[in-house]
């Protein structure tokens, strides 16, 4: 393939990024565009109308710094009393000292050609409004401007979270901080920080130092770092809910303290991924004294009123094989191991209450004996959310929002945190606090995590904040494309991810062929990759699959073009041409990638996908021809759909992103 | 311009990155390629033959981790006694507890098709050898390999440094750490850390907390962070020499402690750049008691035997205007302010001796009274290096190596740290310890610093390590291009810099036109930019000039092609075609960038350069035509050279990288 052809192929993959105003994400509750615009330059100054509030001042300074970097000119923070200030931020109260789900996050933003007025009942509301303001910055002839607008906004759900697993692969503080910066951009308010698991204990404990000394490979957060990160989050209106997963998923605790496990040990840090036997011994008072002491220590680090106990996937082996534990069960009339775990949780609950913390746990902890303040995080299925709500417990939904399942932004975006199928009363619905997306890190490291979370997380942030009726997928992608660039401005790395990983993988500065491959391929789901590659903790995450994006822009672009063709087979000329170009390019990839692999060893990973893309391209072209001809598809269509199901399976470690578009063409219905 | 044409234009800018073995930088003293190669895969294990040495173990683990990420397969650290280990690292001694310039950094590396033997007298030598080994990894059919080779290596100079200014713009710890990682890749051994200046005091002081509290805007390194960074450097065989610049460049000290200045104050952090009046009062005993206490505190953080006092650019205003200081001078018979500064330095010298530290200072401190262990860092000119050496003082050369002067890699590469013009005896030459490149940060921030240091610094690292006779510029560029990718693998960001900055600047994912502009333009020198833009500390560094590279690859590429044409006007067909392509493309840029600026406001910065590139392209084409015709140039040549001198000046804030190539064509001599 010629160099120029390759370039065109990879270029075709990139959608033009629209410059229209209104790249807001999440969309506000009410938005009215008004006539005119306010010009932005270094003459803009800001004024705070608020009580003394360091957090608000820092937040405003950060926002003005970002504004200045955006327009390439200094924007001064301005004197507090400047009557000529054109940005006036009025805040009634600094808000809760320790933020809870009840914090008021609403704000009003009014932009006229002369002035910007941001008004909020709390500092957190003002921080949300400043993000909206920054998203409105638009180019203008000779400079930048803010379109005149009137916005009233507040979140639909009060718990809008992201779980970050830092146990399976450690994420340095800088990664956690830039994740928080990204969360702030899209108005998320909970970092659920998964801090321990079989593969690593990531928190420095002064009371029980063998936890981090023996259980972390030296990769842990010092107490100073934890305090800094919690403060960093609070500065952005984000709560930090720590999770220490017990009684299972606990191997790393027992490396230093084997005496609290249900079998004698010794233990080493688990390097594989899965569900493992080591489990806390729920029958010994020493266990609870130890946990009590540890929780007491962590509550000095994590002020949040919630504390996540994990509680998922308890392997019963150690309990079943320990005669003393079996005896304990019998003497206490605990029917089964679930009842034993409920007993454990009940003891935990009492400890947490002593430290003024509410319990959060995965849906396995659901049990009739749970205290009413408990929060159930539903991961195995939406039904547990309903069960909890009916039982009067609070709930947050995660089951549909696992980022490592590698669903597309569109797939996760359309799933509402309040599933209609649950048939809850209004009172029961009120128990549902919100939702969390989960970034488990078995197959993700510090180098790749941004590309797995972002920009998909921004679409979910809109789902958790905006009205249920906001669900126009093409418009979501249009705005997501812009917001992803704003996320890069605060330090996230997903935009340059593929190019950077390819340079490192090939040792070449310029990788048009592999770029072309990765514009139209995606990583497999967590389960598929676990089965195909069986990675362990030290498996390098530097292969083509790690350079791939979960939802490359070309996927939604081609799918939209396919819908246009199907809706108007004779008329959609541009859409047809774009599809044809992609399909033709794909048919040349197999041979080209095969040749490349002669000198670039790791390119060989891409051969199966490249070959399959050739077939997909031919199938797509055929479907396109048939759409033009308008004939009946009959047997051809059925065979093509079956073939597409097969092509939708992982090819090597990559999935073909073009299957959706071709399926639309074959089906012939948009 | 069509999209495809644009792409071709920007592609032409990228040299093919050679895959030949031998992308070593710095080049070793002795290198012999042997027949065959050792295949690399996950069956490789390593064995240490050494006494107990945590630093060596960590270094080996890091190297194997990088090797594994490079080849996409796990490489186990292996058991210490594994007789089948194919990588055997033999180290005689852990080396100096506190590294000095006398540390032995030599190593021998022997690679056969069966085995790798790395032998070094010290751990630091072994670390250097591991970097060489990693640079030798090469693709092979179906995988990776190490070419068989025999290498003997040791540095030419024992002080090979990089100054990092973290005062003018703060660089977060993660930036400092990745800078150290890059330094280790190219075998540099001194981080000269500029920690205080008028614009910020960056070190937490427990004894004198108003230093960082009042003098840093909250942007400082905690003592814990400093200790971590010093340990991180030591792990990589890098010394950390702290610089606290006194008695001038000291405004930030006086914000919290105005009583030690030579005028009453109060003081605020300086936001402009330049030379300012605030200067320590050298006449008061309290000044020395304070400095003694501060040095005493910092020596617990920085174990290095050297301590840099700065001493440059003392503005005499405060001393001249203070009657008490004038009186002091008279009563002590101090002839002038230089003598007064010498008195100050003498007192400093006594304090440093008490804390077992040797003094390093900028060449202004040169004075007959300096103790013999003092090190003079020459920045104003090479002559001070000679003067110091003749005086029996040690010297390090920085004058030619200022990275903010934006010289090309080629320009700095050919300047030897031992200038022949100095006419030193062998004994005097031995006083020259080595050299340091300087990254001053007036016009550089955390986001842009990597792109300013790297990859040029790698070429300088070779100058400081390898033989003086190693000076083949095209070969240097060939290897630099590869090493730059290795530097990205350890976390540096220069490779993706321009694309990332352009996305943020334009709000567009895809910027072929501006990419094309920046493949052939460069930032102006420090002095030019200071004059043209007058930046202050809060000026956003997010303009086109900040996205530009100091030495874009196309510059040396076109210059080489021009030499080929000149050497063989009739024969160099490919070189001629490549130049023609570039010149033709440039002639379309002015109109295209002007049009782009209608919707991308900050693109307007590029209009003057784009227009000038059009003229340069026309001139280049004319010169090319004349080279083909073989006629006499006469008056045309003189006029063209004059025009080139003018085109070499900044156009807006950009300089044209193609001037060198066109000048070669006009001159007609390679």
């Amino acid at each position: 393939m010629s160099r120029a052809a390759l370039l065109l192929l990879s270029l075709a993959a990139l959608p033009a990024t629209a410059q229209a105003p209104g790249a807001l994400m999440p969309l506000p509750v009410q938005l009215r565009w008004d006539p005119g615009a306010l010009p932005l330059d270094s003459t803009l100054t800001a004024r705070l109308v608020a009580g003394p509030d360091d957090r608000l001042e820092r937040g405003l300074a950060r926002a003005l710094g970002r504004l200045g970097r955006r327009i390439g000119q200094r924007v001064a923070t301005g004197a507090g009393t400047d009557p000529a200030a054109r940005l006036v931020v009025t805040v009634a109260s600094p808000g809760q000292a320790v933020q809870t789900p009840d914090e008021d996050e609403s704000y009003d933003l009014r932009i006229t050609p002369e002035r910007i007025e941001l008004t909020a009942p709390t500092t957190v509301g003002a921080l949300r409004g400043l993000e909206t303001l920054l998203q409105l910055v638009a180019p203008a002839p000779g400079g930048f401007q803010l379109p005149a607008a009137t916005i009233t906004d507040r979140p639909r759900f009060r718990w809008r979270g992201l779980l970050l697993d830092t146990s399976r692969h450690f994420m340095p503080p800088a990664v956690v901080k830039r994740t928080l910066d990204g969360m702030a951009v899209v108005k998320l308010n909970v970092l659920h920080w998964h801090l321990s698991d079989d593969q690593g204990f990531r928190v420095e404990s002064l009371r029980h130092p063998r936890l981090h000394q023996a259980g972390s490979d030296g990769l842990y957060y010092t107490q100073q770092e934890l305090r800094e990160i919690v403060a960093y989050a609070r500065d952005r209106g984000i709560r930090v809910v720590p999770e220490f997963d017990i009684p299972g998923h606990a191997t790393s605790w027992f490396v230093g303290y084997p005496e609290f496990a249900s079998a004698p040990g010794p233990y080493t840090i688990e390097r594989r991924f899965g569900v493992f036997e080591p489990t806390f011994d729920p029958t010994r008072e020493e266990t609870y004294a130890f946990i009590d002491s540890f929780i007491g220590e962590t509550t000095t680090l994590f002020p949040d009123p919630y504390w996540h106990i994990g509680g998922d996937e308890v392997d019963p082996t150690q309990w079943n094989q320990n005669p003393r534990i079996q005896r304990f069960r019998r003497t206490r009339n605990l029917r089964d191991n679930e009842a034993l775990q409920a007993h454990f949780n009940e003891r935990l609950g009492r400890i947490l209450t002593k430290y003024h913390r509410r319990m959060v746990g995965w849906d396995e902890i659901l049990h009739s004996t749970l205290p009413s303040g408990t929060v159930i995080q539903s991961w195995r299925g939406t039904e547990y959310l309903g069960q909890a709500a009916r039982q009067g417990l609070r709930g947050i939904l995660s089951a549909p929002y696992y980022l490592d399942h590698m669903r597309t932004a569109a797939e996760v975006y359309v799933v509402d945190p309040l599933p209609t199928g649950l048939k809850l009363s209004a009172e029961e619905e009120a128990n549902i606090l919100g939702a969390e997306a989960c970034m488990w890190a078995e197959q993700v490291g510090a180098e790749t995590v941004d590309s797995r979370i972002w920009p998909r997380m921004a679409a979910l942030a809109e789902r958790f904040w905006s009205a249920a009726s906001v669900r126009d997928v093409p418009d979501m992608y249009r705005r997501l494309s812009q917001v992803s660039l704003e996320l890069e401005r605060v330090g996230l790395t997903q935009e340059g991810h593929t190019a950077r990983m390819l340079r490192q993988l090939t040792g070449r500065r310029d990788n048009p062929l592999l770029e072309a491959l990765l514009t139209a391929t995606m990583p497999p789901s967590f389960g598929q990759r676990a089965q195909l590659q069986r990675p362990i903790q030290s498996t390098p995450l530097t292969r083509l699959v790690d350079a791939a994006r979960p939802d490359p822009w070309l996927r939604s672009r081609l799918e939209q073009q396919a819908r246009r063709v199907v809706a108007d087979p004779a008329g959609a000329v541009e859409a047809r041409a774009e599809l044809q170009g992609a399909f033709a390019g794909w048919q040349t990839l197999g041979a080209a990638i095969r040749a490349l692999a002669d000198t670039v060893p790791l390119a060989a990973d891409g051969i199966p996908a490249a070959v399959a893309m050739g077939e997909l391209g031919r199938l797509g072209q055929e479907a396109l021809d048939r759409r033009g001809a308008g004939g009946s598809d009959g047997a051809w269509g059925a065979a093509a759909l079956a073939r597409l199901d097969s092509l939708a399976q992982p090819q090597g470690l990559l999935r073909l992103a073009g299957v959706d578009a071709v399926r639309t063409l074959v089906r012939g219905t948009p």
Side-chain angles (χ1 to χ4, degrees), chain A residues 432-482:
Chain A
I432 295 175
L433 296 174
E436 274 186 11
C438 297
M439 184 72 267
W440 297 107
E442 287 95 339
Q443 300 172 1
V444 168
E447 253 187 306
T448 57
V449 67
D450 289 0
S451 75
R452 273 48 189 155
I453 297 176
W454 309 101
R456 287 186 299 162
M457 188 70 229
L460 280 178
E462 173 158 288
R463 177 55 48 238
F464 303 165
W465 174 286
S466 305
S469 59
V470 173
R471 39 191 297 134
D472 177 334
V473 169
D475 188 61
M476 177 274 285
Y477 274 112
R478 179 184 67 77
R479 291 177 291 117
L480 190 64
S481 168
Q482 282 296 298

Side-chain angles (χ1 to χ4, degrees), chain A residues 204-226:
Chain A
E204 179 187 37
S205 171
L206 302 179
R207 290 189 187 167
H208 310 286
R210 292 205 307 280
L211 282 172
H212 66 276
Q213 285 166 1
S216 76
D217 299 303
L219 299 170
Y220 61 87
Y221 306 99
T222 65
Q223 295 209 344
Q224 175 63 26
E225 286 168 341
L226 292 165

Side-chain angles (χ1 to χ4, degrees), chain A residues 30-44:
Chain A
Q30 287 180 34
L31 161 66
R32 191 188 69 209
W33 298 115
D34 297 328
L38 179 133
L40 286 172
D41 56 39
S42 62
T43 66
L44 181 81

Side-chain angles (χ1 to χ4, degrees), chain A residues 591-604:
Chain A
I593 300 271
R594 212 186 282 278
L596 181 68
D598 287 345
T599 49
V600 177
L602 295 177

Side-chain angles (χ1 to χ4, degrees), chain A residues 579-661:
Chain A
L579 289 164
Q580 254 164 346
F583 296 153
W586 295 350
Q587 293 177 54
T588 66
L589 269 182
I593 300 271
R594 212 186 282 278
L596 181 68
D598 287 345
T599 49
V600 177
L602 295 177
D605 281 358
I607 295 174
V611 170
M613 276 168 74
E615 184 182 349
L616 185 66
R618 284 189 297 279
L619 203 53
Q621 188 55 52
E622 247 179 274
L624 209 49
D625 293 344
R626 283 174 176 260
R627 289 286 78 79
S632 155
D633 296 329
W636 176 85
L641 288 174
R643 198 56 212 131
L644 284 173
D645 285 347
S646 160
L647 288 170
Q649 294 306 307
Q651 312 290 326
L653 279 180
L654 294 169
R655 286 183 301 146
L656 308 193
V659 170
D660 293 338

